[in-house]
């Protein structure tokens, strides 16, 4: 099984003491490539540095998450554009809207989102999108850029059937995490994932967040790692009624085409 984690926050400080071991465990679990999420002014350059240190294996996104939207100044915009000049940076984002936590004021979130969509429009790079409890505004802002954007993935999809079909109708991709394995809030995904065409479906851990709750034995720590992508792939395949190797191969092919990744 060859897997690709499209969302791993490997610059997170919880990995500082054992990042090499984390990468090795991922390889041992069949995770052959990973896209390191860049989600702030501080961490996006670190994501690029990690990708440059592991050519062909790690890739990066560069962006500013809605939680950090207030840091999106003109200077920050210039920094993001400089990062996007590097071929290891394969997507614009993580960017979008998060009205669930509202860590940044909503007008600041919308402005930071629009400026990053402008970068995607100019560079033609795919978008790595985040949307939580902000569907109407999110769709409205995306509509402003109709016809100017390339590919887009709504990462860590946790939403409703209606939201899912809005995305698929726009021909966007969908990222599924271990949220699927959460019996308290992810049960609806078990049914919804059957409706995602294989050529629109990608998988991710969102490590160190969202440790799949069905991993057995449950690790003593709460930190998620890319190696658990294999577990997510198996659960997803089960829900879709697919063979795990087929589901994994499909997700990997979709991911390579989406981000333009070379075979390792
Ligand atoms: Zn996110």
């Amino acid at each position: 099984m060859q897997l690709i984690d499209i969302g791993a926050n490997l610059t997170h400080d919880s990995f500082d003491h054992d990042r090499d071991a984390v990468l090795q465990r991922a390889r041992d679990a069949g995770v052959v490539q990973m896209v390191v999420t860049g989600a702030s002014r501080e961490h996006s350059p670190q994501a690029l540095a990690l990708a440059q240190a592991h050519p062909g294996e790690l890739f990066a996104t560069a962006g500013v998450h809605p939680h950090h939207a207030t840091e999106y100044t003109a200077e920050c915009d210039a920094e993001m554009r400089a990062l996007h000049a590097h071929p290891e940076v394969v997507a614009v984002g993580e960017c979008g809207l998060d009205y669930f936590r509202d860590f940044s004021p909503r007008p600041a979130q919308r402005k930071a989102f629009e400026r990053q969509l402008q970068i995607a429009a100019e560079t033609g790079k795919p978008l790595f999108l985040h949307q939580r409890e902000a569907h109407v505004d999110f769709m409205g802002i995306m509509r402003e850029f109709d016809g100017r954007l390339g590919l887009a993935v709504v990462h860590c999809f946790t939403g409703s059937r209606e939201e899912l079909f809005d995305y698929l109708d726009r021909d966007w991709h969908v990222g599924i995490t271990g949220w699927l394995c959460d019996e308290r809030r992810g049960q609806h995904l078990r049914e919804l994932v059957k409706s995602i065409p294989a050529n629109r479906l990608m998988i991710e851990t969102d490590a160190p967040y969202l440790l799949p709750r069905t991993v057995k034995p449950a690790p003593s720590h709460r930190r998620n790692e890319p190696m658990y992508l294999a577990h997510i792939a198996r659960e997803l395949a089960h829900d879709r009624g697919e063979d795990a190797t087929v589901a994994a191969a499909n997700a990997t092919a979709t991911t390579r085409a989406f981000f333009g990744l070379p075979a390792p």
Side-chain angles (χ1 to χ4, degrees):
M1 201 152 65
Q2 285 202 356
L3 300 166
I4 304 175
D5 191 347
I6 69 157
N9 300 276
L10 291 174
T11 64
H12 194 272
D13 57 13
S14 66
F15 294 120
D16 283 352
H17 67 287
D18 68 343
R19 196 169 281 105
D20 286 341
V22 167
L23 292 177
Q24 190 55 50
R25 283 196 288 274
R27 286 177 203 119
D28 294 345
V31 182
V32 293
Q33 289 167 317
M34 291 158 254
V35 181
V36 183
T37 309
S40 68
R41 255 179 113 168
E42 183 192 354
H43 285 271
S44 290
Q46 294 174 14
L48 170 61
L50 254 184
Q52 287 173 328
H54 299 272
E57 183 182 33
L58 300 188
F59 301 86
T61 73
V64 174
H65 190 284
H67 291 347
H68 297 276
T70 51
E71 69 188 37
Y72 209 95
T73 58
E75 197 184 354
C76 173
D77 191 66
E79 289 167 13
M80 291 301 139
R81 287 168 182 276
L83 291 172
H84 284 292
H86 294 268
E88 296 89 349
V89 177
V90 293
V92 176
E94 177 171 0
C95 62
L97 300 175
D98 192 314
Y99 293 176
F100 178 67
R101 300 223 186 266
D102 274 326
F103 284 160
S104 286
R106 293 179 182 185
Q109 291 191 37
R110 290 191 283 265
K111 181 166 161 261
F113 186 26
E114 285 169 348
R115 298 201 65 169
Q116 293 177 87
L117 292 179
Q118 184 61 39
I119 295 176
E122 289 172 27
T123 61
K125 287 196 183 188
L127 277 160
F128 190 81
L129 299 166
H130 173 104
Q131 187 282 112
R132 202 157 170 212
E133 307 277 318
H135 185 67
V136 172
D137 280 7
F138 178 83
M139 295 303 286
I141 291 173
M142 289 296 283
R143 218 168 282 122
E144 290 169 20
F145 285 81
D146 259 351
R148 296 160 58 199
L149 300 172
L151 300 172
V153 59
V154 184
H155 109 102
C156 192
F157 175 76
T158 60
S160 66
R161 170 170 292 272
E162 187 185 12
E163 290 177 9
L164 176 64
F165 279 91
D166 278 349
Y167 302 154
L168 295 176
D169 284 349
R170 304 296 306 270
D171 220 11
W172 298 338
H173 289 61
V174 176
I176 294 293
T177 60
W179 193 285
L180 180 75
C181 309
D182 188 328
E183 79 288 355
R184 305 161 305 176
R185 50 184 191 171
Q187 275 302 322
H188 67 297
L189 293 179
R190 301 267 185 199
E191 184 63 33
L192 285 186
V193 293
K194 294 175 189 163
S195 301
I196 307 173
N199 64 356
R200 293 291 176 271
L201 176 59
M202 301 193 278
I203 52 176
E204 49 178 333
T205 57
D206 207 24
Y209 314 111
L210 303 179
L211 176 72
R213 287 171 59 86
T214 47
V215 164
K216 298 259 172 359
S220 54
H221 53 76
R222 299 299 307 157
R223 187 183 71 171
N224 194 6
E225 288 189 24
M227 70 166 167
Y228 294 125
L229 192 65
H231 178 84
I232 295 168
R234 280 192 299 271
E235 298 252 339
L236 177 71
H238 177 264
D239 293 338
R240 284 169 64 81
E242 292 173 348
D243 183 79
T245 29
V246 173
N250 286 341
T252 294
T254 300
T255 301
R256 290 222 170 96
F258 181 88
F259 292 104
L261 306 186

